[in-house]
Amino acid sequence: MRNFIKVFLTLAVAAGFGEVKAQRSAYRSHVKDLYNAINANLKDPRSDLYFETTDPAKNEHPHSYLWPLCAYIQGANEMEVLEPQKKYMLPVEKAIAQYYRATPPYPAYQDYVVKEKTTTLYYDDNQWIAIAYMDAYKRKHDKKYLDTSKMIYRFMIGGLDTVGGGGIYWREKDNTTKNTCSNGPGVLVALQLYKATKNKEYLKTALDIYNWTKKHLQAPEGVYYDNVKLPSMELAKATYTYNTGTMLQSAVLLYNITKDKKHLIEAQRVAKAGKAHFFKNGRLPNEYWFNAVMLRGYVELYKVDKNKEWITFFEQDANAIWEKERDEHNLVGNKKEKRLIDQGAMIEIYATLEQVKNIK
């Protein structure tokens, strides 16, 4: 009887391990399917640019805004983590280069293709690119990523002033709001540059922006509001997953750098609040890329405290997307037309969930 129970338990454990291993293999497969689907359905072979959606009638311009490429470049970085010998970032980098505008005093990437239209420069669009490039720099030590990120840092500092006590505006030449989406990633850019260079100016900037954002834009429960209007300082209290995510990740990185436990305690508070606030009825809100950015913060915390709770609800949502929100072309999304930003976001999510298994 004992031998029977022992064999039964051994088989049960093996079956469970096999299921987990199969799921992780599935994530890698999902990444490749999405990558192939982007190239087949959302890339313009004539220009090396990308389309906003699969439906030309729904696209405002011939090519994508920069924002979807902010998602895709991070997804491409995560693909290279899984396959270091590949160059998944390079085609996306070539596309992003076509958004560069060398306008003094702060050159940066505008929100649409320069040769087709002169448009707006957003601080957050540029910051997302710098975050991905600094992740790539950490892996590859290629100076082009560091130099571009320093350029973006100079641009974002141009949007930092003392109006409202500090903080970065949302976009150039618009002094009406300061947003979590331009301050949270601003902290991350500065922290990544500090870690790469040990220049204390970057750490001071990060702490100043972090403290201002926490003071002015955090809800009492721990998640983050969207923006503060100027000069009234009236709060816009909409909550989005990515805003909580960048500030969560910032808190963990500050703990890693300073070893001040208050940052870890705060990160765990924000993480608990974020899950309670956003994860309802087994699903996250229906904006994949916002959730991808939030996942970055939870993974950063998981590396420190090894609490699997921070990962499992993302797995549940990601699995449901593949099962319920995917078309016959392996493109994901709830609408008939499929968006580039959603594909890039889910590449990042699946690739990140695949990587989590290697966190010791």
Side-chain angles (χ1 to χ4, degrees), residues 78 82 295 299 347-357:
E78 306 312 322
L82 297 181
L295 175 59
V299 169
I347 284 177
E348 177 182 349
I349 287 173
Y350 292 129
T352 299
L353 292 175
E354 176 74 11
Q355 293 169 44
V356 164
K357 68 178 181 180

Side-chain angles (χ1 to χ4, degrees), residues 27 30-35 37-38 42 50-52 64 66-79 82 92 128 132 241-242 284-296 299 314-315 317-319 321-322 325 330-334 338-355:
Y27 289 149
H30 297 347
V31 167
K32 191 57 66 74
D33 286 342
L34 287 163
Y35 171 73
I38 288 174
L42 285 160
Y50 293 82
F51 302 120
E52 188 87 5
S64 166
L66 179 61
W67 186 34
L69 295 178
C70 297
Y72 192 23
I73 191 63
Q74 190 72 47
N77 177 76
E78 306 312 322
M79 290 182 75
L82 297 181
V92 195
W128 304 123
T241 51
Y242 74 149
L284 288 166
N286 185 34
E287 187 60 67
Y288 303 160
W289 181 70
F290 288 179
N291 300 338
V293 174
M294 188 167 78
L295 175 59
R296 300 173 198 174
V299 169
F314 284 97
E315 292 175 332
D317 187 68
N319 295 343
I321 288 169
W322 194 257
E325 298 169 12
N330 285 323
L331 293 164
V332 292
N334 278 317
K338 304 305 178 188
R339 304 189 304 166
L340 175 61
I341 193 169
D342 291 333
Q343 317 316 311
M346 292 312 301
I347 284 177
E348 177 182 349
I349 287 173
Y350 292 129
T352 299
L353 292 175
E354 176 74 11
Q355 293 169 44

